[in-house]
Amino acid sequence: MNTNLGSIKEDDLVVVGCGVVGITTALFLQERFPNSQVKIVSGKLSPETISDVAAGIFRWTMRTPPEYESKWPQEAWAWFQNLYKESPLKTGVSKLPALFFSSYSSEQCESKVMKSVCQVYRKCTPAELNLPQPAGKFKHGIYLHTLQIDTGTYIKYLTDKFMFRGGTIIQAEIESFDEIGSKYIINCTGLGSRKLAGDREVLPIRGQVLKVEAPWIKTAMYADDVYIIPGQKYITIGGTRQYNDWHTDPEPHDTARIWDRACATFPCISKAKIVDVKVGLRPHRRHPRVEKEESNGKFIFHNYGHCSWGIMSSPATSKQVVDLVAEHFNSNKSKL
Amino acid sequence: MAKVAVVGAGIIGLSTALEIQKQIPKCQVTLISEKFTPDTTADGAAGIFGLYLLGSTQPDRQVVWAKKTHDLIESWWKTPMCGEMGIALVSCSRMNHSPVPPIWKDVVFGVREMSQEEVAEKGRLTGEHTSGLEMLTFTAEPVRFMPFLMKQFKDQGGEIKRAKVENFKDLFNEYDCVVNCTGVYAGSLTLDKKIKPLRGQVMRVKAPWIKTVTLDDLDDGNYVIANQESVVVGGTHQDGDWDRTPREEDKQFIRSGGKCLDPSLKDSVEVGHWVGLRPGRPEVRLERDGIDKKLVHNYGHGGSGITVFQGCAEECVDLVKEVLQEQNIAAVQAKL
């Protein structure tokens, strides 16, 4: 494993962070700038990134910056649809029917974006509202067909492409962007941007999940705080949303609460075999930051703060940040 | 104590035997069969809910049977035993179904006409699909839930006899009522020339990204049905064909047609091929025998055994009660 920061050249395009956002951005940079060296510097690599914890369901409830509202979701959806058509096995992308129940309000389950991208999107019927327990508790529901991404498989698929095209990955923790010798940095450090980019707005929303084996679960189900999301190998049961909680170890109380609530609402999950308990700190921000910054003689292109929507929005935000890089080089007429 | 024999321990016989125990507690039920699960006709089936190959059986009757069965399966889905019993909540798409709306539209959840965009995504070997209906319903794998029913039957005092019945008359001395649930084999025990095998060949593959059910309701249609540990790809319905050996030309039809319906099957791994002989008949025979006063028939359910078993069992028990009443059996008198 390459840990040598010294191998970085001034003209390299260096992506910092190798979660799903980082690897996607790096791949897109390679495609846009075939004559450049694209390198990734990251402390953690898959399967140890936050992306690896996620269930990977495409459920766009993110507060998208208004100028990108009609662009990002559609681009991301099209990207994953194409990967599904290419090969669910190799890319990790599957089709997934899903039910969203709420005992509070219809707003909890509805999503304007999902209604616009999903082929199938409708309100639940009264009979369907009685699927979660107890009967009568859940008064609102939406049924739709979406996509689900097995993150480990997906990141590997992207990484293989990146390496095949001559990309380099350097595993190293940095305290400051100054440690990186290139003029161009593409910052995909998620929660790390609180320190590295000095962005005090970035805070963790802690999520604990259970990874279980339950191959009889073929449809995703959400009911208030409970969610059960099937992937190709495991089912993810969640979850928690603990604001400004930095604890990365699994908490037994959270496991118990997640499990008890899931079984009470959907007894069908009761005999699932728990295989792992994982924690991910979602990088929360009012919305993702995708913009250029000049700092200490470097050009830093930010792409961080995706909170719960990293995987699903990564193709769109990565394309957005690569557009910014291209714009920079065009306007500065630098060699590249 | 009344003594009732149920001949045939397939899904019809087993569910009928249980229903007799439930409705006529003061009754000794004996289940006599050559074969038991996992060697019955239904054991190889995918178990998707759907009225199929029931000929001219009265539609109203079909719907009543189907509703009782769907409700029962839903109640199984809502228990912790769901997974072990092989029950799954699935999105089911039926292509080219006619008529629309289907008679069973209020039995399953959320029947909806598919958009042209959805229909166009699925291919077929010849020509194109013209329409589709999509819904939420259940798959119930008999090879998984029948052992539960067997255990329940035995725990409730049921008697099991592994034997081949050559003539129903042999049973009339010992039993107050005999129920004929011999399915496709009924022709050798009755004078019924109408019961014929509808040979069904299928293939099972590993494709864990496939979580839904797609069926083509046309005569030359294929189907792809997600089960717990594999995906069933089918299939054939060959009239009067007793051959239980998987045939090469049927395998080719299944492979090619399956891939048209779901191109992602190209990444699947074949695990096996199987043939089942559906009990085909112009209509279901659920009635008392015209000559033998002690004999009740419940056979000929085509491709719908798993879809109608509970409703048929309940109707059959009404006839059993009639038989016992005529013989002034105390057990039945007291209940009425």
Side-chain angles (χ1 to χ4, degrees), chain B residues 232-249:
Chain B
V232 177
V233 188
T236 67
H237 47 95
Q238 294 135 326
D239 214 323
D241 193 334
W242 285 94
D243 178 19
R244 289 207 64 195
T245 319
R247 300 203 281 256
E248 208 43 54
E249 67 261 25

Side-chain angles (χ1 to χ4, degrees), chain A residues 32-95:
Chain A
R32 189 73 74 91
F33 306 107
N35 296 326
S36 290
Q37 267 302 318
V38 181
K39 293 183 175 142
I40 302 177
V41 173
S42 187
K44 291 244 172 20
L45 298 173
S46 177
E48 253 103 62
T49 70
I50 289 164
S51 309
D52 291 288
V53 179
I57 186 171
F58 191 109
R59 189 192 183 205
W60 196 293
T61 46
M62 173 168 83
R63 203 183 302 142
T64 315
E67 62 268 36
Y68 303 130
E69 247 168 20
S70 314
K71 186 175 181 232
W72 281 1
Q74 291 74 8
E75 279 177 6
W77 181 262
W79 168 263
F80 287 115
Q81 280 281 11
N82 285 335
L83 288 180
Y84 167 76
K85 287 187 185 133
E86 182 185 321
S87 167
L89 178 67
K90 297 190 178 80
T91 66
V93 182
S94 309
K95 285 195 169 181

Side-chain angles (χ1 to χ4, degrees), chain A residues 259-275:
Chain A
W259 180 249
D260 289 346
R261 278 210 218 165
C263 293
T265 313
F266 299 108
C268 63
I269 199 69
S270 306
K271 298 279 174 131
K273 183 171 142 202
I274 299 177
V275 165

Side-chain angles (χ1 to χ4, degrees), chain A residues 81 84-90 93-97 99 119-122 125 127-128 130-133 143 145 148 214-219 221 230-233 266-271, chain B residues 74 77-84 86-93 109-112 115 117-118 121-122 134-136 138 208-212 226-230 262 264 266-268:
Chain A
Q81 280 281 11
Y84 167 76
K85 287 187 185 133
E86 182 185 321
S87 167
L89 178 67
K90 297 190 178 80
V93 182
S94 309
K95 285 195 169 181
L96 182 63
L99 287 158
Q119 262 178 351
V120 179
Y121 182 100
R122 63 167 174 82
T125 64
E128 286 166 341
N130 277 330
L131 286 169
Q133 312 276 35
Y143 171 66
H145 285 193
Q148 179 271 339
W216 60 91
I217 302 293
K218 306 285 186 198
T219 303
M221 299 177 290
Q232 289 189 34
K233 257 195 265 190
F266 299 108
C268 63
I269 199 69
S270 306
K271 298 279 174 131
Chain B
E74 182 181 345
W77 180 81
K78 286 176 173 169
T79 68
M81 306 317 295
C82 168
E84 288 174 54
I87 317 298
L89 179 67
V90 290
S91 160
C92 175
S93 300
F109 304 111
V111 180
R112 172 190 72 84
S115 67
E117 200 196 334
E118 282 176 83
E121 271 188 356
K122 300 188 199 288
E134 191 260 343
M135 70 214 71
L136 265 179
F138 299 103
W209 57 87
I210 296 179
K211 300 186 191 308
T212 57
N227 266 184
Q228 218 173 105
E229 299 289 351
S230 60
D262 188 337
S264 77
K266 69 171 165 37
D267 286 338
S268 67

Side-chain angles (χ1 to χ4, degrees), chain B residues 119-149:
Chain B
V119 171
E121 271 188 356
K122 300 188 199 288
R124 61 184 332 270
L125 274 173
T126 51
E128 280 160 7
H129 300 290
T130 50
S131 65
L133 293 168
E134 191 260 343
M135 70 214 71
L136 265 179
T137 180
F138 299 103
T139 46
E141 297 176 49
V143 73
R144 295 183 196 275
F145 72 75
M146 280 172 63
F148 276 84
L149 301 185

Side-chain angles (χ1 to χ4, degrees), chain B residues 10 17 20 61 67 75 83 150 175 218 227 229 278 282 287:
Chain B
I20 297 169
R61 242 177 138 200
K67 176 97 177 82
S75 76
M150 285 291 288
Y175 298 97
L218 292 177
N227 266 184
E229 299 289 351
R278 303 178 188 87
E287 62 185 10

Side-chain angles (χ1 to χ4, degrees), chain B residues 288-299:
Chain B
R288 291 185 59 179
D289 190 79
I291 298 168
D292 290 318
K293 294 271 161 234
K294 285 188 174 185
L295 187 57
V296 179
H297 300 287
N298 187 6
Y299 68 87

